[in-house]
Amino acid sequence: MEAVCKNQITAAFASKLMDSSKRCLGAIFVASFYFSASLAFFPAHHEGESAHPVEHGPKLGLSPGFYRSTCPRADEIVVSVLKKAIAKEPRIAASLLRLLFHDCFVQGCDASVLLDDSKAVASEKNALPNKNSIRGFEVIDKIKAALEEACPHTVSCADTIALAARGSTVLSGGPYWELPLGRRDSKTAYMKLANKNLPPPNATLHRLVKFFGRQRLDKTDLVALSGSHTIGMARCVSFKQRLYNQHRDNKPDMTLEKRFYHKLASVCPRTGGDNNITPLDFASPPKFDNSYYKLIVEGRGLLNSDQVLWTGKDPEIAHLVKSYAENESLFFEHYVNSIIKMGNTNPLLGSDGEIRMNCRRVNHVR
């Protein structure tokens, strides 16, 4: 089964993204082996922060054509805003893709990550993995405002994040996927779970497997979704430990390729410079491709959580890294399967949650 359009996404294809009637139907996720185990949806409990089983799709109520009659231009509107935002700041594409991860890993894909602090809400934006790190909220605001103007009180903030993530991927040269839609928005945030469930950049391979396992994501999902780091930037504070004190011995990570180490050290001094930024993928920073994996094999993965995919002594994971480095089409195919799987994590459906008018606050707050 074809899970992804394997030809390189071109500018012409990206423009086709704006016409929903011409969408590629390559990712027929219902038949995918990732989803074949369960055709029933059991609603997630979002009232509190207690642990509950993570559910994946296909979900009753989630469908690529969910807004076909109520907001047929939704995707076109999203892409229109994205094109302007990415042209102004190419880095924003990766930031918006990252928002999807940081949303779905915390109590499911429900836009809880977008809520600001209030008397009733302790914002996930202030969780340690997110503070002064996640970004792109202003672009989401613009997209949501455009959607509200065209289709009032129709497209959820959770689906807005998902649409922005796909559009950002495609506009950066990555694969297109048929995106199940119909998620609703959480009425609260889960800062404690954000601190617990989001993997840090210095995570070991064992910890990464555990973090992804909590979301019912397997090793293939881990390696494929890590490929999102083929675009974007990272602050020095995220990897400085590798340069100067990897094992608390005032020595660098010996798995770093030497020339790469010196290049990083010139950007990130031992003292200061924590907010200096550098590309996650030095080979092709703005392009969504498989160079991320090629760099890892060469000892030039930026974050510890990148490089351990190759050096972590897990044959299955190392084989996947090598396979993706050699075969971009395979990476795209697995990436599409995995991001659909992740995007179907515990959605709020039906009458659960709400459709926020403003993604930064629940509807009853004025």
Side-chain angles (χ1 to χ4, degrees):
M1 184 199 71
E2 285 294 325
V4 64
C5 297
K6 296 185 177 180
N7 294 331
Q8 179 67 38
I9 306 299
T10 62
F13 181 80
S15 68
K16 290 183 182 180
L17 181 63
M18 299 178 66
D19 184 354
S20 61
S21 66
K22 297 180 182 179
R23 289 180 182 172
C24 162
L25 297 177
I28 310 175
F29 66 92
V30 174
S32 170
F33 73 90
Y34 282 119
F35 304 100
S36 60
S38 173
L39 294 176
F41 169 67
F42 301 94
H45 299 286
H46 280 68
E47 289 79 4
E49 294 190 357
S50 58
H52 63 277
V54 173
E55 301 290 344
H56 294 300
K59 306 295 185 187
L60 298 179
L62 287 184
S63 165
F66 187 84
Y67 298 112
R68 186 171 290 128
S69 61
T70 57
C71 195
R73 293 183 57 245
D75 192 50
E76 178 184 344
I77 291 167
V78 171
V79 172
S80 177
V81 176
L82 285 177
K83 284 184 174 180
K84 294 175 183 177
I86 294 171
K88 183 177 180 181
E89 183 191 12
R91 178 190 176 194
I92 203 66
S95 300
L96 294 169
L97 180 55
R98 188 175 180 224
L99 272 181
L100 179 65
F101 283 76
H102 283 234
D103 185 34
C104 294
F105 266 59
V106 181
Q107 200 74 5
C109 309
D110 60 4
S112 60
V113 72
L114 300 180
L115 289 171
D116 285 340
D117 260 333
S118 69
K119 291 180 179 179
V121 173
S123 176
E124 293 170 23
K125 297 175 184 179
N126 294 323
L128 290 176
N130 291 335
K131 195 173 181 64
N132 300 319
S133 178
I134 57 170
R135 54 198 300 275
F137 301 110
E138 293 79 8
V139 178
I140 294 293
D141 290 341
K142 290 180 181 178
I143 294 172
K144 178 62 172 173
L147 289 169
E148 285 295 314
E149 182 177 355
C151 317
H153 204 208
T154 300
V155 181
S156 69
C157 296
D159 280 344
T160 300
I161 294 174
L163 286 164
R166 181 183 66 177
S168 294
T169 301
V170 172
L171 292 171
S172 299
Y176 176 94
W177 61 92
E178 282 294 318
L179 177 60
L181 298 167
R183 303 164 189 80
R184 288 169 64 85
D185 300 327
S186 168
K187 295 181 180 180
T188 189
Y190 308 92
M191 187 171 73
K192 291 180 181 178
L193 282 181
N195 281 320
K196 177 182 178 183
N197 286 353
L198 294 171
N202 64 346
T204 63
L205 185 57
H206 175 72
R207 290 185 68 201
L208 286 173
V209 171
K210 288 186 67 175
F211 277 113
F212 275 69
R214 288 176 189 167
Q215 310 303 321
R216 300 273 181 91
L217 298 171
D218 59 26
K219 290 181 179 180
T220 299
D221 301 321
L222 165 60
V223 182
L225 293 173
S226 293
S228 298
H229 286 178
T230 184
I231 57 175
M233 311 286 283
R235 296 185 301 155
C236 288
V237 69
S238 301
F239 58 88
K240 185 179 282 191
Q241 173 185 324
R242 296 189 71 203
L243 302 179
Y244 304 111
N245 194 25
Q246 175 71 341
H247 300 293
R248 299 183 181 180
D249 56 2
N250 292 315
K251 294 181 180 179
D253 182 351
M254 298 308 293
T255 67
L256 278 166
E257 191 268 335
K258 288 185 178 180
R259 285 175 296 178
F260 186 53
Y261 164 78
H262 289 297
K263 186 172 185 176
L264 294 179
S266 69
V267 176
C268 303
R270 182 183 289 270
T271 303
D274 284 357
N275 290 322
N276 294 349
I277 58 174
T278 195
L280 286 157
D281 174 348
F282 277 86
S284 54
K287 185 178 179 183
F288 196 104
D289 56 21
N290 68 332
S291 60
Y292 166 81
Y293 300 101
K294 297 177 182 179
L295 293 172
I296 289 175
V297 172
E298 297 169 358
R300 293 190 288 167
L302 182 64
L303 306 179
N304 190 74
S305 57
D306 297 326
Q307 194 59 48
V308 293
L309 298 177
W310 182 247
T311 61
K313 299 180 180 178
D314 185 304
E316 179 184 353
I317 287 176
H319 175 72
L320 285 166
V321 170
K322 187 173 185 293
S323 297
Y324 297 163
E326 295 173 349
N327 188 337
E328 186 176 85
S329 294
L330 179 66
F331 162 46
F332 280 9
E333 179 181 345
H334 285 191
Y335 186 85
V336 162
N337 287 337
S338 294
I339 201 164
I340 291 173
K341 182 178 176 182
M342 183 189 73
N344 286 353
T345 301
N346 286 343
L348 290 167
L349 301 174
S351 60
D352 290 339
E354 63 181 9
I355 306 297
R356 286 185 219 140
M357 307 291 286
N358 182 327
C359 291
R360 293 176 179 264
R361 60 175 184 257
V362 297
N363 288 338
H364 68 268
V365 175
R366 293 289 182 261

